[in-house]
Amino acid sequence: MDKSFFHQELKKIADPQRAKGAKRYLKSPYKFYGVPTPDRRKIFNAFFKANKSATKADWIKLSKSCWQDDYHNLKTTAVEILKKINKDLAPKDLPYVEKLLSESINWDHVDEICVHLVGPILLNYPETKKILKKWNTHPLFWLRRASLLPQLYLMRKGREDLPLLVENIKPLLDEDKWFKSKEDKARLSLIPLPLQKFFIRKAIGWVLRELSRFKPQETVRIINLYKSRLSGLSYREATRNLPDKYKKMLK
């Protein structure tokens, strides 16, 4: 299997104008083919179907090759490959998954990795949840975001870890501490400090909003616990879908 297939197929339907828009929207330093997501997925699914006999090792090798490419589309394909085999991912694959997170430039990769790669590993191997504590205090803000988002997958499976969620939200509220630490400024120069803070605040609100779908009373408890320290964005997101009877329980 070779990544050249993806280049060949994407090039056939490339749209330079769309590519410029995608690059501008994602603030990515990489190149783009300008291919709509549905078309890109058709190409990938055809390739996956044609290579059903490939082993997990084959797919991981291909993923690594795509990730090293200088096209954003190929990096996305690297993540899509692992999503296709995410039920087979194991603790031994976490170092590679962490490498993807630490080298990611954009939220589109980070969020997909968190939910669809890290999430399944944590679900199948609960002992690996300790990695979220490591990421929770990481100097790179994308990894701090990653200390929360895998819980989205767990919530949807009815396997959330509320004590860990409460514990991991708390340090992220201390913004003065984290955003004075040394970030990877060269790689993240396209993401200004206010936007970095936005991504952390949004993550806090997002996981609480998702939790409110399944456990609204627990969501209220957590919001009340941290209400004086939650940003306006986090609070609005967290309470957006709360039923009125639970909103009345907010302090």
Side-chain angles (χ1 to χ4, degrees), residues 39-244:
D39 293 338
R40 177 180 54 76
R41 285 180 176 160
K42 284 180 184 177
I43 292 170
F44 172 74
N45 288 334
F47 182 85
F48 200 88
K49 186 175 181 180
N51 291 277
K52 285 185 176 180
S53 62
T55 65
K56 173 185 172 182
D58 292 331
W59 289 116
I60 289 180
K61 182 179 179 181
L62 181 60
S63 173
K64 290 180 177 180
S65 177
C66 290
W67 186 254
Q68 294 304 315
D69 202 90
D70 58 356
Y71 270 84
H72 192 97
N73 309 86
L74 269 289
K75 292 181 181 295
T76 300
T77 298
V79 178
E80 290 286 340
I81 288 170
L82 297 186
K83 282 176 63 176
K84 277 288 189 179
I85 62 168
N86 65 7
K87 292 182 180 178
D88 298 323
L89 295 178
K92 68 178 181 179
D93 301 310
L94 270 175
Y96 176 48
V97 173
E98 183 173 357
K99 172 182 168 68
L100 296 181
L101 283 170
S102 65
E103 294 180 356
S104 290
I105 299 294
N106 303 86
W107 57 266
D108 61 326
H109 292 153
V110 169
D111 294 0
E112 287 289 294
I113 294 166
C114 286
V115 179
H116 298 293
L117 305 186
V118 181
I121 297 176
L122 303 189
L123 179 70
N124 295 325
Y125 303 93
E127 70 276 11
T128 61
K129 287 189 287 187
K130 62 186 178 183
I131 199 166
L132 299 186
K133 290 303 302 174
K134 172 188 173 184
W135 295 345
N136 191 230
T137 56
H138 198 282
L140 183 61
F141 83 98
W142 280 136
L143 281 169
R144 298 201 298 279
R145 180 174 167 94
S147 72
L148 298 182
L149 296 189
Q151 289 255 24
L152 295 170
Y153 186 88
L154 299 183
M155 290 173 193
R156 294 163 190 170
K157 299 295 182 179
R159 298 278 296 278
E160 66 279 347
D161 187 327
L162 291 183
L164 181 61
L165 180 63
V166 171
E167 190 178 351
N168 280 3
I169 287 175
K170 186 177 180 180
L172 299 183
L173 300 173
D174 191 0
E175 291 185 341
D176 287 341
K177 174 182 177 181
W178 293 118
F179 289 101
K180 285 181 180 177
S181 63
K182 291 184 178 179
E183 298 284 347
D184 187 350
K185 293 181 179 178
R187 190 161 54 82
L188 296 174
S189 59
L190 292 175
I191 306 177
L193 184 60
L195 193 53
Q196 293 180 28
K197 291 184 177 182
F198 166 84
F199 281 120
I200 297 297
R201 293 170 179 177
K202 187 79 170 181
I204 294 169
W206 186 8
V207 294
L208 291 176
R209 186 184 77 220
E210 187 73 9
L211 182 63
S212 73
R213 293 175 53 201
F214 310 104
K215 296 187 175 180
Q217 192 158 347
E218 284 296 325
T219 305
V220 168
R221 182 181 67 84
I222 298 171
I223 294 172
N224 283 337
L225 180 65
Y226 292 131
K227 186 176 180 182
S228 64
R229 300 179 62 196
L230 287 175
S231 69
L233 172 61
S234 297
Y235 184 81
R236 289 191 300 274
E237 285 293 311
T239 59
R240 184 194 299 178
N241 296 331
L242 268 178
D244 288 340

Side-chain angles (χ1 to χ4, degrees), residues 4 6-20 22 30-36 69-74:
S4 60
F6 299 112
H7 280 297
Q8 292 167 5
E9 296 303 308
L10 289 167
K11 191 173 182 178
K12 290 177 185 177
I13 55 175
D15 182 337
Q17 286 303 115
R18 181 182 286 271
K20 289 180 181 178
Y30 303 116
K31 294 185 282 187
F32 284 79
Y33 278 112
V35 175
D69 202 90
D70 58 356
Y71 270 84
H72 192 97
N73 309 86
L74 269 289

